[in-house]
Amino acid sequence: MIRSHLSPNRIVATAPILIIGLIALFSVGTASIHTAKADSALALSVTDQRVDIDYGEKISIATTIDTGIDAESISGVRTLFRARGGSTIWSYSYPQFKTNDSNISQLAVSFEILTGPGSYYPPGAEFDIEIEITDANGETASVISPEPIEYLDPTRDWKRVEGDGYTIIYYGVDRSSVDDLIAKIDHRIPTLEATLGVTDPPNFKAIVFPNIQEATPSFPPVSKTATDQYLFAGFAQPEYRLFVQGQMNATTFTHELAHLYTHEAVSSSFLGGIPSWLNEGLSRFLETGSSEPSNKRLRDTVSPDELLSLKHMLTIPGQRRDVSIFYPQAGAFVGYLIEEYSHATMADFLEQLNKGRSVEDAFELIYDKPLYEVENNWRALFGAEALPIPSATAEPSEHTDTEVEITSVPLVDYEAAANAASGGNTSSQPQSTATTAPSSLPTATPENTPVFDPSVFEDEQNPNWAVAGIVIGLSVIVGVWLFTSRRRMPKRKS
């Protein structure tokens, strides 16, 4: 008879394999259990849903769910909501719920979506609602509300008109004014598509108020000065695929719509976002489809030695004078690129950015010249000195005490905008070079931070206590076995 003896070292080496095998078997069994739970007796359907909008504060939702079982056995309810758009995420809460006295299978669920300070959502945002229900056996099922919830002030008589790839939602304006606006915007759409390379955009929304004063309370939170003096004409909200505007003005409308198109052209692949000179320059140029308005503004109000370098236009500057130069210069330079090299070339440039290339690499690939060389060619048209060739080592950004870091709402020329809103100058504020017509108030494109969703981490954070218990138990057993086996083995003679 041949006997085989396992040394303690070999037993130690074999133990982890044994444990891993048992864990694998347990995991298969657990998967089978979860698969079985998918065949839950829960059969959910929404039988009624009531929505109450307290505009500027919250959305209250009362939903009746037929569970298909005795609702008394329901142990938990979770509601999830997400604003529709290109980059929004799900948020969730654990709401109040109770059974229906007249129908034992129905469950009444009540919850809120906060929309006030600290939880801003733009008017026109649409929310998808999902409700998860767990019974006493731990089985879970979910149901999605058949209709989204649209966030609009219920005290207003909102109307809707369809344009070419967008919907205008408005009140307090004659229909003829809306039709005139649509005719002008639809004429601009082919230029937007050709310049930005977006030929199949989603349907955008334009929430248009009759005037800036009525629109301002619905704008994203900004400074009290900006709010009190009505310093903004509109805000683009690319993450919701909509914009909010304070007047029926074709120039502002086209500017904001161009921001939404640009966001679709250059999205998540370009993680750093596009520089402000390109983003604002595209919208400025596309307002009219010509660089001439921006060129004229620069020649009339800016001396050649005041022109900014593109490396200082990555974000909107904070100095008032620089802001008054930034917007027309961005429109003039981007307009030069489009008119000198074609709309299709700009679309190819944006496509390369969307693939993840840096601005400099994408530019040189498409335009066959370094960006600084084309920038100097453009500066020469205005009699400005050429900028030095950039060094291989990136220079640190220059900041002054009056400049600001990246912000969700770029600063604008406050003096001129205040004069535009009030119709004239004040004795305490000097005349600015910014456009003074109310129809030309500054616009901004905030990048809202998405709401943090803890549910993303729940499954990763919660340990599987069953697996942990088995692993600990097996470790104890193997440890005891090794200890007793070693004591029984005869000692080797030296």
Side-chain angles (χ1 to χ4, degrees):
M1 180 181 295
I2 300 175
R3 294 184 179 181
S4 176
H5 295 281
L6 293 177
S7 68
N9 292 336
R10 186 171 298 178
I11 293 174
V12 172
T14 308
I17 300 175
L18 176 63
I19 294 173
I20 292 172
L22 290 172
I23 292 174
L25 289 173
F26 178 80
S27 300
V28 173
T30 303
S32 300
I33 292 172
H34 287 310
T35 303
K37 283 190 175 183
D39 299 328
S40 172
L42 289 168
L44 308 183
S45 62
V46 177
T47 60
D48 182 56
Q49 181 168 283
R50 288 167 291 157
V51 178
D52 180 31
I53 297 178
D54 182 2
Y55 190 71
E57 295 295 333
K58 62 184 178 181
I59 304 172
S60 300
I61 305 163
T63 303
T64 302
I65 307 292
D66 193 305
T67 64
I69 62 173
D70 185 349
E72 291 289 348
S73 65
I74 300 303
S75 62
V77 175
R78 185 169 77 156
T79 56
L80 299 95
F81 65 90
R82 178 178 63 180
R84 291 186 172 183
S87 56
T88 55
I89 63 173
W90 288 96
S91 299
Y92 72 92
S93 64
Y94 294 95
Q96 298 179 348
F97 63 94
K98 62 180 181 179
T99 56
N100 190 324
D101 295 335
S102 60
N103 190 327
I104 63 171
S105 68
Q106 290 191 347
L107 199 68
V109 180
S110 300
F111 61 100
E112 297 177 344
I113 300 175
L114 299 180
T115 61
S119 303
Y120 171 81
Y121 289 100
E126 293 185 53
F127 294 92
D128 288 319
I129 305 296
E130 182 175 358
I131 299 177
E132 288 182 355
I133 294 180
T134 304
D135 65 13
N137 296 322
E139 297 182 4
T140 299
S142 64
V143 61
I144 297 177
S145 295
E147 295 294 333
I149 297 172
E150 187 174 45
Y151 179 56
L152 288 170
D153 187 347
T155 65
R156 305 298 186 183
D157 183 20
W158 296 99
K159 296 179 173 60
R160 300 167 189 267
V161 182
E162 299 291 328
D164 183 5
Y166 59 90
T167 300
I168 298 179
I169 303 175
Y170 71 99
Y171 74 90
V173 180
D174 293 337
R175 173 61 187 267
S176 59
S177 299
V178 180
D179 291 339
D180 289 343
L181 176 66
I182 289 178
K184 293 176 182 178
I185 301 304
D186 285 356
H187 181 69
R188 304 293 316 144
I189 294 297
T191 304
L192 266 69
E193 293 182 342
T195 306
L196 303 173
V198 180
T199 57
D200 188 24
N203 190 77
F204 297 118
K205 279 185 178 182
I207 314 300
V208 183
F209 289 79
N211 54 63
I212 296 170
Q213 288 81 356
E214 293 191 43
T216 297
S218 295
F219 287 162
V222 292
S223 71
K224 188 176 186 302
T225 300
T227 301
D228 292 345
Q229 298 184 10
Y230 308 114
L231 299 186
F232 295 101
F235 282 85
Q237 304 277 344
E239 61 270 43
Y240 303 105
R241 288 175 171 157
L242 62 80
F243 64 86
V244 185
Q245 180 174 324
Q247 50 194 194
M248 283 287 175
N249 176 268
T251 299
T252 305
F253 195 106
T254 306
H255 184 106
E256 303 295 8
L257 189 60
H259 277 309
L260 300 187
Y261 268 82
T262 301
H263 187 267
E264 295 296 322
V266 184
S267 54
S268 59
S269 295
F270 189 44
L271 299 179
I274 65 175
S276 291
W277 65 261
L278 179 57
N279 193 8
E280 294 297 337
L282 285 167
S283 287
R284 186 82 173 209
F285 170 81
L286 291 168
E287 290 174 1
T288 61
S290 170
S291 65
E292 188 51 37
S294 295
N295 292 338
K296 184 177 186 304
R297 173 73 180 279
L298 285 180
R299 293 191 182 100
D300 291 346
T301 63
V302 180
S303 62
D305 61 347
E306 288 184 299
L307 291 177
L308 307 172
S309 65
L310 292 183
K311 71 176 183 179
H312 294 148
M313 296 175 67
L314 302 179
T315 60
I316 299 174
Q319 293 184 2
R320 292 185 175 93
R321 178 55 180 164
D322 287 347
V323 171
S324 67
I325 300 171
F326 173 89
Y327 282 99
Q329 182 174 334
F333 180 69
V334 171
Y336 169 78
L337 294 179
I338 296 171
E339 292 168 346
E340 184 75 13
Y341 296 94
S342 82
H343 295 262
T345 303
M346 174 58 70
D348 291 341
F349 174 45
L350 296 177
E351 182 182 9
Q352 290 302 316
L353 293 181
N354 195 44
K355 290 180 178 179
R357 290 184 180 272
S358 68
V359 173
E360 290 75 14
D361 289 346
F363 190 93
E364 190 161 357
L365 176 67
I366 297 301
Y367 289 90
D368 202 28
K369 294 179 181 178
L371 177 58
Y372 74 84
E373 182 179 329
V374 177
E375 179 183 5
N376 280 332
N377 292 342
W378 174 82
R379 291 173 63 88
L381 299 177
F382 291 85
E385 292 184 2
L387 297 172
I389 297 175
S391 60
T393 303
E395 299 179 5
S397 300
E398 296 180 6
H399 293 284
T400 66
D401 293 338
T402 54
E403 290 180 334
V404 295
E405 299 296 332
I406 296 176
T407 176
S408 60
V409 183
L411 294 180
V412 296
D413 193 331
Y414 288 136
E415 290 94 347
N419 291 336
S422 61
N425 292 333
T426 63
S427 58
S428 62
Q429 293 179 330
Q431 177 68 35
S432 169
T433 57
T435 307
T436 57
S439 62
S440 309
L441 282 171
T443 60
T445 309
E447 293 294 338
N448 290 350
T449 303
V451 178
F452 173 69
D453 184 5
S455 65
V456 175
F457 298 90
E458 282 191 338
D459 291 338
E460 298 176 4
Q461 298 285 345
N462 292 335
N464 190 325
W465 294 113
V467 174
I470 290 176
V471 171
I472 293 171
L474 288 173
S475 299
V476 172
I477 293 171
V478 172
V480 172
W481 179 51
L482 289 174
F483 177 76
T484 56
S485 298
R486 188 171 182 83
R487 292 193 62 182
R488 293 174 181 173
M489 291 180 63
K491 296 183 179 181
R492 293 183 179 178
K493 296 181 179 179
S494 56

